[in-house]
Amino acid sequence: MRWWDIDVVNPLEQELFPLDPWSIDQWWRELAQLHNHYFVVESAGELCGYAGLSISGSDADIQTIAIADSFQGKGIGRKLLNQLVARSRELGVTYIFLEVRSDNTSALSMYSSFGFAEISKRAKYYPDGTDAVILRRDNRESSP
Ligand SMILES: CC(C)(COP(=O)(O)OP(=O)(O)OC[C@H]1O[C@@H](n2cnc3c(N)ncnc32)[C@H](O)[C@@H]1OP(=O)(O)O)[C@@H](O)C(=O)NCCC(=O)NCCS
């Protein structure tokens, strides 16, 4: 992902995370950080998904991952997550962390199939009172 993708990502962000979308300023800040790695996926020239990883030594955080509504359920999220995991492994990351809404069954199922396991919960973390689940993947134990 590059700065010129922000104008396309921004409306997708509003649709996919209506309660707490990132602002355009936040996207610029994310892309400016050298330890962040952002990707987009395109289908027939149309940007249909995006995801980002933030690396800190041997740890990484998945900052976001999202696929446009009409492209969901076609294996694109899995490909993007695979890309994030692959990049983290190239950079010598041991643990990948992320937080996800406790009611986000699709994402939870995808993460679980990639070897992410719950390590804690943050009660009422999201603006609507939903809990956050903190997941962690050990790159030494899960493959690829
Ligand atoms: C979560 C998300 C990224 C998954 O992307 P996707 O392209 O739809 O997912 P894929 O088609 O690659 O499927 C990957 C896995 O997700 C899970 N999944 C996807 N859709 C699902 C559904 N409707 N119900 C249950 N599990 C589902 C499955 O485990 C699936 O693996 P499988 O096909 O082997 O069963 C996508 O639904 C999304 O963008 N949601 C809105 C934004 C969001 O919630 N992001 C996550 C924030 S933490």
Side-chain angles (χ1 to χ4, degrees):
M1 181 174 171
R2 296 289 183 264
W3 63 265
W4 51 82
D5 295 313
I6 292 176
D7 280 349
V8 182
V9 164
N10 187 51
L12 281 180
E13 174 79 5
Q14 311 276 334
E15 277 171 40
L16 295 164
F17 301 102
L19 294 176
D20 52 354
W22 285 3
S23 65
I24 287 183
D25 282 355
Q26 200 163 352
W27 278 113
W28 278 95
R29 281 197 297 274
E30 287 292 317
L31 294 184
Q33 299 289 334
L34 293 177
H35 56 263
N36 286 355
H37 301 255
Y38 274 86
F39 300 88
V40 292
V41 58
E42 292 180 344
S43 173
E46 183 181 354
L47 193 158
C48 61
Y50 55 91
L53 188 70
S54 181
I55 310 266
S56 172
S58 58
D59 290 346
D61 287 289
I62 291 182
Q63 303 286 79
T64 189
I65 180 164
I67 305 298
D69 263 341
S70 57
F71 289 88
Q72 288 180 11
K74 300 176 192 290
I76 302 173
R78 186 173 284 284
K79 276 192 185 152
L80 258 182
L81 183 54
N82 208 42
Q83 178 69 38
L84 297 185
V85 170
R87 176 59 63 90
S88 78
R89 292 176 75 94
E90 284 162 22
L91 296 172
V93 165
T94 304
Y95 293 116
I96 312 177
F97 297 86
L98 62 85
E99 68 200 22
V100 53
R101 291 172 61 96
S102 60
D103 60 359
N104 193 342
T105 48
S106 309
L108 282 164
S109 156
M110 179 171 77
Y111 296 136
S112 156
S113 72
F114 271 76
F116 282 89
E118 179 175 334
I119 54 166
S120 64
K121 271 206 170 80
R122 288 188 188 141
K124 300 190 168 123
Y125 178 78
Y126 292 100
D128 66 347
T130 302
D131 295 346
V133 183
I134 314 299
L135 303 180
R136 185 180 71 184
R137 181 187 202 266
D138 186 336
N139 276 345
R140 297 166 303 187
E141 288 174 2
S142 302
S143 59

